[in-house]
Amino acid sequence: MEPYRIKVVEPIPFTTRQQREEALRRVNYNLFDLRAEEVTIDLLTDSGTGALSAAQQAAGMAGDESYSGSRSFYRFHEVVTELTGYRHILPAHQGRAAERVLFSTLLEPGKLALSNTHFDTTRANVELAGAEARDLPCPEAKDIDSPSPFKGNIDIDELRRILTGPEGHRVAMVVTTITNNGGGGQPVSMENIKQTSALCRAHGVPFFLDAARFAENAWLVTRNEWGYQDRTPRQVAEEAFRLADGCVMSAKKDGIVHIGGFIGLNDGELAQRCELLLIATEGFATYGGLAGRDLDMMAQGLTEVTEPSYLAERAEIASYLAHRVHAAGVDILEPPGMHALYLNAGRLLPHIPPHNYPGHALAVQLYLVGGIRSAELGSLYLGEEDEAGNPTKSAPYELVRLALPRRVYTRSHYDHVGETLAVIAKHAGSVQGFRITEQSPILRHFRATLEPVPLGY
Ligand code: F0G
């Protein structure tokens, strides 16, 4: 059961099917353009959408809003230092701000960044610094149905091959994303982190964690990795941070705050250069674009998130929803992670070709039938067409992510998601695909407008 009870509630909106049909037409079938008050269950993201605890609210009230050297900063600094062990901690307003500051300081044109999978903004910030971002997911990651427990791992053989090969001198950093959001929310084993750390140290390449979901990764390690069953998630997390030379962190996930993040570094010279850029672009080094209350709430959230009872229930609710989804006859990327389930829309809607976006078609149905918002991670997001509109690249899988906000929805909300999927699965053959009517040159899934394609076309 949930290891908390509810003290503050917020009504969720209910709409009629007709209202949802009208809303979809108004936003040209782009779910990002819906007003949140038109959504009943919002599973668009687990980022910044968690519920604060009473202790976090109280910490926020005690926040110190001094411009520099605030009490809030020192509390935050102490908590993060104890957790990570890094010598230099710089607050930032969210994960991508931390990425921009670190990567634009460390990278330059011609350099190479390697990762198990770069998250979108991580990749974008590597590329904005002029460097190349290359993903090295492990071979098990390619089998969507495999229940292998650590499909988030980096491919160690490939990493070794690049570091020792002709491109070795170009590698400026290795980033391991825990858990691997771009790779289906799958965890990374401690063995894999240790091997990555050893290889990076042997080749003098800095190794960072993208630690947005470090506590969930640690929980899955205690469940599934030999030798870690008797450790607490906190102990696993502490060990993982210490195997790396630093981290970038979006605290909007496992910090359970609405806004916040940080950079952790051991290298004093690098930290000094980052600090100057931080001051110029984010805010002074003791607040980094955040209010004092945000720093205090983040410190408290980072302490609560490794509680075993909290993590156990979070894993439990994800597998509860996975069970409901399976019962509805819908497949997911296996095994279910903790922050999200990834529905296999391609398999549910085989009559819709990739360039008519089966993932988007399922996401639209989830909204139309159940008022549920999700995120397409298929060919609308990753596909490409030539100038005449002919498809040139489609995504490896047509997925829809149901992200699970922390401490927000209860089992009856997830029952509604399961029931909605069962209705959709029953008439799957009559679900229509989509075509793009307008799109932007980059990040098109955010801004594209679409229209339904009648069945049979
Ligand atoms: N790294 C990972 C692994 C992420 O999942 C995200 C954000 C970021 C970095 C960027 O952090 O949003 O604080 O700037 N992921 C969100 C998501 C947006 O929905 O998965 P941010």
Side-chain angles (χ1 to χ4, degrees):
M1 66 178 86
E2 288 86 347
Y4 47 82
R5 54 186 179 176
I6 297 164
K7 180 142 70 176
V8 179
V9 295
E10 182 184 17
I12 55 174
F14 291 101
T15 53
T16 63
R17 180 158 176 135
Q18 192 191 340
Q19 285 171 325
R20 295 194 290 276
E21 276 168 9
E22 281 165 13
L24 281 169
R25 275 197 295 274
R26 190 194 75 237
V27 300
N28 296 304
Y29 298 91
N30 184 326
L31 302 174
F32 285 101
D33 283 340
L34 289 172
R35 296 176 69 119
E37 63 197 10
E38 293 167 325
V39 176
T40 304
I41 306 284
D42 204 344
L43 307 184
L44 186 62
T45 181
D46 65 321
S47 180
T49 51
L52 297 174
S53 67
Q56 281 179 292
Q57 298 268 17
M61 285 307 291
D64 171 359
E65 305 302 342
S66 305
Y67 186 90
S68 92
S70 73
R71 190 174 59 236
S72 303
F73 171 74
Y74 286 106
R75 174 161 185 240
F76 157 80
H77 190 271
E78 190 181 324
V79 165
V80 177
T81 307
E82 274 176 20
L83 173 66
T84 66
Y86 299 132
R87 286 194 277 278
H88 307 278
I89 307 294
L90 299 171
H93 81 269
Q94 63 183 89
R96 66 198 74 182
E99 290 159 10
R100 184 185 57 80
V101 168
L102 178 61
F103 299 171
S104 58
T105 305
L106 190 70
L107 302 176
E108 58 190 24
K111 294 293 182 192
L112 187 56
L114 303 175
S115 174
N116 51 346
T117 308
H118 292 85
F119 176 70
D120 324 6
T121 59
T122 320
R123 170 175 291 276
N125 279 301
V126 167
E127 289 171 356
L128 281 171
E132 179 189 338
R134 199 178 296 169
D135 293 342
L136 312 176
C138 66
E140 303 90 287
K142 289 170 192 119
D143 179 358
I144 196 170
D145 299 308
S146 154
S148 182
F150 291 108
K151 287 163 77 176
N153 284 352
I154 196 166
D155 185 336
I156 287 289
D157 293 338
E158 190 57 17
L159 177 63
R160 184 181 299 108
R161 200 186 61 70
I162 296 176
L163 286 172
T164 54
E167 288 183 307
H169 69 282
R170 288 178 56 209
V171 181
M173 67 173 186
V174 174
V175 181
T176 289
T177 311
I178 56 172
T179 55
N180 190 347
N181 186 20
Q186 300 296 314
V188 178
S189 71
M190 292 301 285
E191 182 57 30
N192 192 257
I193 295 176
K194 279 182 204 160
Q195 289 181 348
T196 308
S197 172
L199 270 175
C200 287
R201 284 188 185 156
H203 290 88
V205 171
F207 171 40
F208 301 109
L209 296 179
D210 176 346
R213 299 177 181 87
F214 73 95
E216 294 175 1
N217 201 82
W219 175 257
L220 293 167
V221 164
T222 65
R223 298 289 97 185
N224 297 320
E225 187 164 354
W226 188 85
Y228 283 91
Q229 270 86 355
D230 296 331
R231 309 278 191 90
T232 63
R234 169 77 192 203
Q235 287 168 330
V236 176
E238 285 183 6
E239 184 182 337
F241 280 118
R242 284 159 183 78
L243 286 164
D245 302 305
C247 72
V248 280
M249 170 84 189
S250 166
K252 298 173 71 173
K253 289 79 167 170
D254 276 351
I256 328 185
V257 281
H258 300 143
I259 200 75
F262 59 87
I263 305 171
L265 291 172
N266 279 335
D267 178 338
E269 195 260 336
L270 179 61
Q272 210 168 34
R273 284 163 55 217
C274 287
E275 187 179 284
L276 293 177
L277 183 58
L278 186 87
I279 296 172
T281 60
E282 279 279 302
F284 189 64
T286 61
Y287 75 89
L290 293 164
R293 61 176 167 272
D294 297 325
L295 292 164
D296 262 307
M297 292 190 287
M298 186 164 37
Q300 180 62 29
L302 288 168
T303 311
E304 291 173 11
V305 76
T306 49
E307 276 298 317
S309 59
Y310 158 76
L311 287 166
E313 196 275 337
R314 182 144 170 85
E316 178 61 32
I317 205 139
S319 54
Y320 176 82
L321 179 58
H323 178 74
R324 300 285 322 217
V325 171
H326 287 139
V330 177
D331 287 340
I332 59 167
L333 189 158
E334 298 287 350
M338 281 176 74
H339 84 285
L341 300 186
Y342 295 68
L343 308 177
N344 189 338
R347 195 171 289 161
L348 181 69
L349 306 172
H351 60 286
I352 303 179
H355 60 275
N356 289 139
Y357 316 116
H360 186 68
L362 178 55
V364 167
Q365 286 295 310
L366 278 163
Y367 179 67
L368 196 59
V369 178
I372 300 157
R373 183 154 63 169
S374 55
E376 193 260 9
L377 289 175
S379 291
L380 180 58
Y381 170 48
L382 292 171
E384 284 168 18
E385 292 90 30
D386 63 17
E387 271 163 27
N390 302 310
T392 51
K393 183 182 151 203
S394 51
Y397 294 107
E398 302 296 333
L399 303 175
V400 172
R401 187 182 77 169
L402 302 180
L404 313 179
R406 291 165 183 77
R407 307 190 289 210
V408 169
Y409 293 120
T410 64
R411 278 166 176 68
S412 58
H413 294 120
Y414 292 124
D415 286 342
H416 171 71
V417 177
E419 282 152 22
T420 302
L421 272 170
V423 171
I424 297 167
K426 241 182 237 152
H427 71 259
S430 63
V431 172
Q432 294 181 319
F434 282 83
R435 80 162 68 89
I436 293 178
T437 48
E438 259 179 58
Q439 60 178 306
S440 52
I442 53 162
L443 298 171
R444 69 172 181 182
H445 56 295
F446 287 121
R447 304 278 14 124
T449 60
L450 300 104
E451 66 184 13
V453 180
L455 283 174
Y457 276 78

